């Protein structure tokens, strides 16, 4: 069985599609990944899926009965998050890359690039995210990297907005 959100928005754990199978093995995982890649290449929407077994009634029930997250205030949430980071991090902040709503890389929709990752920097970013997530319906799910992490930065830059 395949259960998907009607509008492509994430329903549970940043996924918009639940694939329910009899048992999970490497072939099932590979088949689901290949199908998602083919669909994502062909269409503008993104399939972000989760695989579970038919015995996992709790996940199936959660997926069916949870209403999709409301991302209508995503741009406002991003704006406030960026402002808080600029105020709290100052020169430590190199840049911020925000992905379009509903798009995630490694379960993150915002990449925070800093000069150096230190505990106080982590705490300030976490505090800003918590404050924004408490205020808005949308969810800021961030990742912090230092300015030398070119691989992940280029992945986010391919589809994100740099600020």
């Amino acid at each position: 069985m395949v259960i998907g959100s009607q509008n492509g928005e994430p329903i549970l754990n940043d996924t918009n599609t639940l694939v329910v199978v009899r048992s999970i093995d490497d072939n099932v995982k590979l088949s689901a990944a290949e199908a998602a890649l083919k669909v994502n290449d062909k269409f503008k929407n993104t399939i972000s899926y989760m695989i579970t077994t038919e015995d996992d009634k709790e996940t199936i029930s959660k997926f069916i009965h949870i209403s999709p997250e409301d991302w209508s205030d995503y741009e406002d949430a991003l704006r406030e998050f960026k402002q808080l980071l600029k105020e709290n991090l100052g020169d430590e902040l190199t840049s911020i890359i925000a992905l379009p709503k509903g798009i995630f890389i490694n379960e993150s929709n915002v990449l925070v690039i800093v000069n150096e990752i230190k505990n106080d920097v982590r705490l300030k970013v976490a505090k800003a995210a918590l404050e924004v997530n408490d205020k808005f319906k949308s969810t800021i799910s961030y990742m912090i990297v230092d300015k030398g992490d070119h691989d992940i930065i280029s992945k986010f830059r391919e589809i994100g907005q740099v600020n």
Side-chain angles (χ1 to χ4, degrees):
M1 167 173 37
V2 177
I3 307 167
S5 69
Q6 291 182 359
N7 57 4
E9 297 292 333
I11 292 179
L12 180 64
N13 296 336
D14 299 328
T15 63
N16 59 18
T17 306
L18 181 64
V19 178
V20 183
V21 296
R22 287 189 182 89
S23 65
I24 300 173
D25 61 24
D26 289 341
N27 287 334
V28 167
K29 290 177 187 176
L30 184 60
S31 295
E34 287 174 348
L37 287 172
K38 286 179 185 177
V39 170
N40 291 345
D41 283 345
K42 186 174 181 178
F43 298 99
K44 291 181 182 178
N45 287 341
T46 300
I47 299 293
S48 58
Y49 66 93
M50 176 188 306
I51 302 174
T52 193
T53 63
E54 59 191 357
D55 297 332
D56 187 359
K57 303 293 186 209
E58 182 180 344
T59 300
I60 295 168
S61 178
K62 283 181 182 178
F63 204 92
I64 291 173
H65 298 294
I66 288 180
S67 59
E69 295 179 48
D70 183 352
W71 290 87
S72 62
D73 59 1
Y74 183 62
E75 294 302 321
D76 293 332
L78 283 175
R79 196 171 8 267
E80 186 157 330
F81 184 62
K82 291 173 186 178
Q83 183 61 37
L84 287 170
L85 291 180
K86 289 175 184 176
E87 291 171 6
N88 295 327
L89 293 178
D91 292 339
E92 285 294 318
L93 181 64
T94 302
S95 64
I96 302 163
I97 303 174
L99 300 178
K101 75 177 172 182
I103 304 295
F104 297 87
I105 295 176
N106 296 339
E107 299 182 13
S108 300
N109 56 6
V110 178
L111 183 67
V112 179
I113 306 166
V114 296
N115 290 324
E116 182 182 351
I117 300 175
K118 299 182 277 188
N119 283 338
D120 66 321
V121 169
R122 287 181 205 266
L123 289 173
K124 289 175 182 176
V125 175
K127 183 179 175 189
L130 287 171
E131 185 175 326
V132 169
N133 289 342
D134 282 344
K135 185 175 179 180
F136 295 91
K137 296 173 190 170
S138 300
T139 302
I140 299 297
S141 176
Y142 66 89
M143 179 186 306
I144 306 172
V145 297
D146 65 45
K147 61 186 178 185
D149 195 342
H150 302 292
D151 289 340
I152 195 70
I153 293 170
S154 63
K155 285 180 186 176
F156 269 80
R157 280 195 173 133
E158 285 177 23
I159 50 177
Q161 308 162 346
V162 181
N163 288 337

